[in-house]
Amino acid sequence: MVMKVNPAVVLTALIIAIVLAGGAMADKHRHFGKHQFNRGDHGNEATGEAAAWILGIANFPVLLSQLLKTADKVVPLKPASRDRLTRFNRLQKHHLMKLHYWLNPVAIVIAVSHWTLSHCRSTGLPEWGLGIMIAVGALGLVMKLKLAPVSMRKPVYRLHTNPISIPAVLLILLIGHSIVD
């Protein structure tokens, strides 16, 4: 019997674990002392802003595609208009998904450098957000390079393209950074 894994359930469990572990991570950071991570709570804002902007640009094609698909389902359109919308979506994905493939790894590298330059002692949520962002990016890399066995490609695709993953990362990062500020 093959057990099916529901990505929404896995991501919900991850979010709950992250929120519950946030307090424990914050307590852990208080024990570092003067010699490690004594840069305060603000850190290097330039790398954080750069990572956020690059992440936004990299995921714009995905957001646009989702908006176009939703508009196609929600708005009553004539068949000709629906066909034009579908062709535009294919065209934008064909040309703009290169941004997604190339800029997301760059954003992750910059986000990791942001984490090393600034460390939060009041909450662990930014670290958890970064961890989930790295995991989603790694799943995307596995998909793009076809590193997973054929039997695992569909679950990897479902986890990577789950509509909960990016809003969850953004929510965790926003909450974590608002606690820091």
Side-chain angles (χ1 to χ4, degrees), residues 37-114:
F37 300 114
N38 193 16
R39 295 183 186 101
D41 286 344
H42 297 290
N44 190 336
E45 292 180 22
T47 55
E49 268 191 55
W53 277 104
I54 293 171
L55 191 65
I57 293 168
N59 289 297
F60 173 75
V62 176
L63 177 67
L64 181 59
S65 177
Q66 291 301 318
L67 288 173
L68 290 172
K69 286 179 183 178
T70 303
D72 186 31
K73 292 176 184 174
V74 174
V75 178
L77 296 172
K78 295 178 183 178
S81 298
R82 186 171 298 216
D83 185 48
R84 271 187 258 137
L85 197 63
T86 303
R87 278 188 284 136
F88 175 73
N89 193 21
R90 275 193 214 123
L91 183 70
Q92 74 88 16
K93 283 170 64 175
H94 177 73
H95 292 291
L96 295 180
M97 281 304 282
K98 291 175 183 132
L99 288 174
H100 184 73
Y101 302 142
W102 288 98
L103 289 182
N104 268 325
V106 171
I108 290 172
V109 168
I110 293 172
V112 168
S113 69
H114 170 64

